[in-house]
Amino acid sequence: MAERTRSKEIKDFIISNVGKHGESIALLTAGKFGISRQGVNKHLRQLVKDGILSESGSTRAKTFSLAQKILLEKEYTIDQQLSEDRVYSQDILPVLKELETKRAVEQRIYYCFTEIFNNAIDHSDGSIIHVHLSYDARSIEILIDDDGIGIFHKIKKSFHLAEENEAILELSKGKLTTSPKNHSGQGIFFSSRISDMMWIRSHQLRFAAVETFDLQTEETEFVVGTDVYMRFEQTSERTSKEVFDKYSSQDDDYGFTITHIPVRLAVVGEENLVSRSQARRLLTGLDKFKEVALNFEGVEMIGQAFADQIFRVFANAHPDIFLYHLNANEEVTKMINRALYDKRQSENSELRS
């Protein structure tokens, strides 16, 4: 029994760490459990034989990775008969049942898949949606792509933005939609946090987001339409409800009233965040929320006017909004504190007059 338990621990360790340490997994495992390289190789060979790992390279320089298995590859024509719930129940759910997916993971996949697939139906202006579903020993991965106008381009055009990059900032806030009568604009915001990893790629931009609030943009090769990738860890215990509760006020019927904004997404090109117009762009739409957290991670400096517009002007105009900041460095904190000091001074002046 003890030997089987130890063997399982070794295999679980390999599966959990091979993604980041494919070339050195044998050495890493040997050091972790105090066993020989030969002993580790026995477990690696068995995992390859079982189809859990794949291997490449020569005997001396083998690299291991989790074996990917494609479960669904299907193309759908966008028309009036196409609906996300039917596609999920007919094509996605049977695959998840066969994998014996945990109920909590299945619920998270249901929300994210139906939201993103519906977005492609209603907003892409395309004719085809392609779905790719695969899995390995740790996760289930879904790729949904369309041949439409491109999500960032459509938002730029609909909201008269100067750059497609600005569309990413607007998406990160939540409650953004080009069709307010039919959509709440919350689907991408919550899908990016309910999934364990999500990226959106369109034209030459890629927007990556994970639940831990690590958001980033990068340029990529030109992509027609929109690609959305989502990953769901099979061992995760996190539920959709936990994510919804994180951004909801309990005293307001659990509405979507809390948002977290990565301030660095307001940067366009090589510019610094110094002007009031940049601050206004960041603040657009935030009056829809009751609590706003501004995450300054990755922002090296801000200007006095930028800080003043947010923490004095906007704050004074919206006293009912709880506005606060996170992860600001020393220089940024100085500017924020200066704006807060000016805010207090103006409030004291009003009280004295």
Side-chain angles (χ1 to χ4, degrees):
M1 179 66 73
E3 185 177 342
R4 285 201 299 270
T5 300
R6 182 170 171 79
S7 177
K8 184 179 185 306
E9 289 177 354
I10 293 171
K11 289 181 179 179
D12 287 346
F13 179 83
I14 292 172
I15 291 169
S16 296
N17 292 277
V18 71
K20 293 182 178 180
H21 305 280
E23 296 180 355
S24 58
I25 189 63
L27 184 62
L28 186 69
T29 307
K32 169 71 175 178
F33 292 93
I35 58 178
S36 66
R37 288 283 296 271
Q38 290 76 14
V40 176
N41 286 333
K42 181 180 71 173
H43 292 290
L44 289 171
R45 286 194 299 271
Q46 186 62 49
L47 289 169
V48 170
K49 182 179 179 181
D50 293 340
I52 296 173
L53 296 184
S54 60
E55 59 182 342
S56 60
S58 62
T59 303
R60 283 192 168 188
K62 279 190 177 180
T63 297
F64 294 90
S65 60
L66 293 174
Q68 284 279 336
K69 297 182 181 179
I70 298 174
L71 301 174
L72 177 68
E73 191 94 42
K74 193 166 182 178
E75 192 173 87
Y76 302 87
T77 300
I78 299 177
D79 56 29
Q80 292 183 346
Q81 283 72 48
L82 185 63
S83 64
E84 69 280 1
D85 58 327
R86 289 181 181 175
V87 171
Y88 179 84
S89 61
Q90 294 174 5
D91 296 332
I92 306 300
L93 184 58
V95 173
L96 300 182
K97 294 298 185 186
E98 187 175 332
L99 292 176
E100 298 182 350
T101 306
K102 290 181 179 179
R103 179 62 175 164
V105 178
E106 182 187 309
Q107 289 175 335
R108 292 197 293 131
I109 292 174
Y110 171 79
Y111 176 86
C112 296
F113 178 86
T114 53
E115 286 288 341
I116 300 304
F117 196 92
N118 179 259
N119 275 348
I121 295 174
D122 289 353
H123 299 304
S124 71
D125 297 336
S127 58
I128 297 293
I129 302 174
H130 177 260
V131 174
H132 174 100
L133 191 153
S134 61
Y135 88 106
D136 57 36
R138 283 181 58 84
S139 62
I140 296 169
E141 300 181 349
I142 299 175
L143 178 65
I144 301 173
D145 64 75
D146 63 66
D147 61 351
I149 190 174
I151 183 172
F152 307 137
H153 177 75
K154 182 157 188 176
I155 293 172
K156 172 182 175 290
K157 182 178 178 181
S158 298
F159 293 93
H160 310 290
L161 305 176
E163 304 282 346
E164 287 193 14
N165 303 63
E166 294 180 30
I168 295 175
L169 171 63
E170 298 307 315
L171 278 175
S172 73
K173 298 174 183 178
K175 296 190 178 182
L176 179 79
T177 177
T178 57
S179 179
K181 289 185 178 179
N182 301 309
H183 290 267
S184 64
Q186 302 176 21
I188 289 177
F189 181 93
F190 281 107
S191 293
S192 68
R193 289 151 173 83
I194 289 173
S195 59
D196 293 294
M197 170 64 188
M198 174 177 169
W199 54 251
I200 304 172
R201 193 171 59 163
S202 180
H203 294 183
Q204 288 185 291
L205 289 176
R206 180 178 179 269
F207 171 41
V210 294
E211 198 277 334
T212 51
F213 203 43
D214 174 23
L215 297 99
Q216 59 186 353
T217 61
E218 60 184 46
E219 291 188 359
T220 181
E221 62 183 16
F222 191 88
V223 173
V224 176
T226 303
D227 297 352
V228 180
Y229 163 88
M230 296 174 286
R231 186 178 74 233
F232 303 88
E233 300 292 339
Q234 298 199 63
T235 57
S236 175
E237 299 293 336
R238 189 160 46 88
T239 66
S240 301
K241 183 180 181 302
E242 290 173 356
V243 179
F244 287 126
D245 287 349
K246 183 176 179 180
Y247 297 97
S248 302
S249 300
Q250 297 183 18
D251 59 351
D252 192 41
D253 297 326
Y254 292 92
F256 176 26
T257 58
I258 301 170
T259 189
H260 291 181
I261 311 299
V263 177
R264 68 178 178 271
L265 293 182
V267 177
V268 178
E270 300 297 322
E271 68 181 16
N272 292 315
L273 297 175
V274 297
S275 69
R276 293 187 185 276
S277 60
Q278 290 170 315
R280 292 189 192 102
R281 186 167 70 228
L282 175 69
L283 296 166
T284 299
L286 298 187
D287 55 347
K288 300 174 184 176
F289 298 93
K290 292 189 174 183
E291 180 179 323
V292 176
L294 298 178
N295 186 350
F296 282 88
E297 183 179 356
V299 177
E300 295 300 320
M301 59 85 68
I302 59 175
Q304 183 273 332
F306 182 87
D308 185 72
Q309 187 67 32
I310 295 172
F311 293 99
R312 187 183 66 84
V313 177
F314 179 84
N316 283 339
H318 302 87
D320 294 334
I321 296 177
F322 176 39
L323 177 69
Y324 60 101
H325 63 278
L326 305 166
N327 302 320
N329 66 21
E330 185 177 353
E331 291 302 314
V332 172
T333 300
K334 286 179 182 178
M335 281 298 178
I336 294 174
N337 287 340
R338 179 176 172 180
L340 293 174
Y341 174 81
D342 291 342
K343 180 177 183 292
R344 289 192 298 270
Q345 289 295 99
S346 62
E347 289 171 348
N348 292 335
S349 297
E350 290 178 6
L351 287 174
R352 289 194 296 266
S353 61

